[in-house]
Amino acid sequence: MSYKNGSNETYVKLFSSEFNQDPYPTFSKLRQEDPIHQTLLPNGQYSWIITRYEDAVAVLKDPRFIKDYTSFPGEEEQEEEQAVSNIFVKNMLFSDPPDHRRLRGLVQKAFTPKMIEGLRGRIEEITNELLNKVQSKGEMNLIDDFAFPLPIIIICEMLGVPSQDRDKFRTWSNTLVEASNDPEEAAQLQTHMTEFVMYLRQLCAARRQEPEDDMISKLIQSEEEGDSLSEQELYGVISLLIIAGHETTVNLITNGVFALLENPEQKAQLINDPSLIESALEEFLRYNGPVEFSTDRWAADAVELRGKTIAKGDHVIVALDSANRDPEQFSDPEVFDITRGKSKHLSFGKGIHFCLGAPLARLEAEVAVTNLLRRMPDLQINSAPETLEWRPGILMRGLKELPVAF
């Protein structure tokens, strides 16, 4: 479906390759002219898109917008064809209270600021090991050589997943995040989901036989001690931690570095004053956030928003990156400014589903960007910026690759 402006002239097709390369002009039009906008998603589903900051916060915090669609009559889980895909939504991100509180409670102790700060030394070590490998080459693909390996190594170590398997997770994760309604891609998605679940079954079976000091062993122990964690929920929580534990950070680091390289005066300011890193990270998150749209929500009851009626059962997503550039909330929102300071951006969500891994993502990005600029202060894009491609899909916002020279 195309978005049409006031003169009835087609502006841009939502979720097209053109939109994917730069969604912000479209977001701006929608905020001004149709902030509660219904459209057709690439998967063939109609959805309401929430584009203004105030409305985004309201929807993210409103318990009438639920995450578990199976609570609607006639939407019970399917056994055969849905059995595998259901596993990927058996976690706190796709559940409502009281299940949400129970599932989140099983893992949140590992993600407290104190626990995460204890990982700083290991994150520093991995960061410098990765930079050592490319230092003499004078160039690298920032994603393949740096932004991807760092968070996937950390989350794999936390969970107890062999590091040699991390490339499998990248393949599986990319398929899940970039899924569309293309028949060939749908078949590949089913194959990769099945492979992912089989891997998790084998891994959990091994941890049951020989527990270790890792999160998977602790989750299995919780399951065996009767903490109401089903086998599907066990796999669902682990898969969420693996995917969310690296996807957001890869895009945070890459999008942030890309913004710095496109704004060299900001990059120079950060190099000259490394104490600006925390403020810079918040601007990375606001300016071109790693998660473009929120995950699925459904209206449990009819809800009125700005004169529009969102009917019971309607699908709703929040355009987080649009809300983060709402001029009613942020001054000069189209300007990248690392001195902006404390920001009420929505890149980690809002309400009970606020991102559990936010402290880890912030720490990994802080260490990564600080060391990258310290060791490679002349870093620059090794390609024409306009030739860089953004990943497809309607969840994450991230480049496919970012070649850099130093």
Side-chain angles (χ1 to χ4, degrees):
M1 179 178 289
S2 299
Y3 171 62
K4 297 177 181 294
N5 63 23
S7 63
N8 205 35
E9 178 184 347
T10 299
Y11 181 67
V12 70
K13 185 178 180 182
L14 288 171
F15 309 112
S16 64
S17 57
E18 179 189 355
F19 172 85
N20 197 42
Q21 286 297 107
D22 184 10
Y24 294 106
T26 302
F27 285 151
S28 178
K29 285 277 186 181
L30 287 172
R31 284 195 306 269
Q32 293 172 45
E33 300 174 14
D34 194 14
I36 312 295
H37 179 73
Q38 192 172 37
T39 191
L40 189 66
L41 300 181
N43 64 4
Q45 180 178 38
Y46 276 97
S47 180
W48 293 96
I49 299 179
I50 312 301
T51 58
R52 287 187 184 172
Y53 184 93
E54 182 182 356
D55 301 328
V57 171
V59 168
L60 292 173
K61 296 176 72 173
D62 192 332
R64 291 176 297 177
F65 293 103
I66 62 174
K67 304 300 290 288
D68 183 5
Y69 73 94
T70 63
S71 60
F72 290 109
E75 294 291 345
E76 292 80 11
E77 296 176 16
Q78 305 294 314
E79 289 296 329
E80 298 283 338
E81 63 274 15
Q82 293 296 322
V84 172
S85 59
N86 281 340
I87 287 174
F88 293 94
V89 295
K90 288 293 184 179
N91 55 57
M92 50 278 192
L93 183 59
F94 298 100
S95 61
D96 303 300
D99 284 342
H100 171 267
R101 191 178 304 110
R102 171 176 58 84
L103 294 170
R104 189 177 177 111
L106 290 170
V107 296
Q108 65 183 4
K109 291 178 184 177
F111 289 91
T112 62
K114 183 179 179 181
M115 292 292 291
I116 296 304
E117 185 60 31
L119 295 171
R120 180 180 289 273
R122 180 62 179 141
I123 295 171
E124 291 270 6
E125 183 181 14
I126 296 169
T127 295
N128 284 299
E129 286 175 358
L130 293 170
L131 293 176
N132 288 342
K133 290 180 181 178
V134 297
Q135 185 84 62
S136 63
K137 297 179 182 178
E139 62 180 16
M140 67 170 163
N141 179 341
L142 188 83
I143 298 174
D144 290 349
D145 296 322
F146 188 60
F148 168 73
L150 172 60
I152 197 67
I153 290 171
I154 291 295
I155 197 63
C156 283
E157 289 183 352
M158 290 176 70
L159 287 165
V161 173
S163 60
Q164 64 265 27
D165 293 334
R166 63 178 184 250
D167 286 334
K168 294 179 184 177
F169 294 127
R170 185 178 189 184
T171 300
W172 295 332
S173 178
N174 283 348
T175 303
L176 286 165
V177 169
E178 298 173 7
S180 72
N181 59 345
D182 178 86
E184 287 187 13
E185 290 185 14
Q188 185 182 58
L189 173 63
Q190 189 65 33
T191 298
H192 284 177
M193 285 194 300
T194 302
E195 291 172 352
F196 200 164
V197 172
M198 288 178 63
Y199 179 91
L200 292 177
R201 282 180 178 146
Q202 292 170 357
L203 183 61
C204 290
R207 286 296 178 274
R208 281 194 173 94
Q209 290 288 328
E210 296 183 24
E212 297 184 8
D213 185 21
D214 55 47
M215 284 181 64
I216 289 179
S217 297
K218 290 173 183 175
L219 287 169
I220 290 171
Q221 185 179 2
S222 296
E223 176 197 33
E224 293 173 346
E225 290 176 355
D227 268 357
S228 303
L229 185 66
S230 69
E231 185 177 23
Q232 276 201 335
E233 288 172 340
L234 175 64
Y235 302 152
V237 169
I238 295 170
S239 64
L240 173 64
L241 292 173
I242 292 171
I243 295 170
H246 80 275
E247 281 280 2
T248 302
T249 309
V250 173
N251 293 340
L252 171 55
I253 294 170
T254 306
N255 295 1
V257 171
F258 183 52
L260 287 173
L261 298 181
E262 285 206 300
N263 295 271
E265 74 291 347
Q266 297 285 301
K267 176 190 152 198
Q269 194 171 7
L270 184 54
I271 290 173
N272 293 332
D273 185 2
S275 70
L276 286 171
I277 185 61
E278 288 188 14
S279 174
L281 287 179
E282 298 311 300
E283 185 67 347
F284 294 172
L285 287 159
R286 184 204 68 83
Y287 181 74
N288 205 359
V291 183
E292 188 168 6
F293 291 93
S294 70
T295 47
D296 304 322
R297 281 170 171 77
W298 286 265
D301 295 296
V303 179
E304 291 286 329
L305 271 180
R306 292 191 187 271
K308 300 282 184 77
T309 299
I310 299 176
K312 180 178 180 179
D314 278 3
H315 184 266
V316 179
I317 55 175
V318 174
L320 302 173
D321 280 352
S322 174
N324 287 340
R325 292 204 187 186
D326 187 340
E328 292 185 11
Q329 177 66 33
F330 304 97
S331 61
D332 298 321
E334 304 298 326
V335 175
F336 178 67
D337 179 9
I338 65 168
T339 66
R340 192 180 291 270
K342 211 165 186 180
S343 173
K344 293 184 178 180
H345 63 75
L346 301 179
S347 293
F348 289 125
K350 200 79 173 176
I352 65 170
H353 292 284
F354 184 83
C355 179
L356 186 69
L360 178 59
R362 281 188 168 105
L363 178 59
E364 288 172 334
E366 175 198 329
V367 172
V369 175
T370 298
N371 282 282
L372 179 69
L373 295 181
R374 177 180 59 81
R375 295 183 54 169
M376 301 166 179
D378 58 345
L379 192 74
Q380 57 187 317
I381 301 172
N382 200 17
S383 175
E386 62 273 13
T387 65
L388 299 175
E389 289 186 56
W390 293 84
R391 295 169 62 186
I394 62 168
L395 181 61
M396 298 291 176
R397 175 140 183 88
L399 289 163
K400 289 185 176 181
E401 61 177 24
L402 179 56
V404 294
F406 42 86

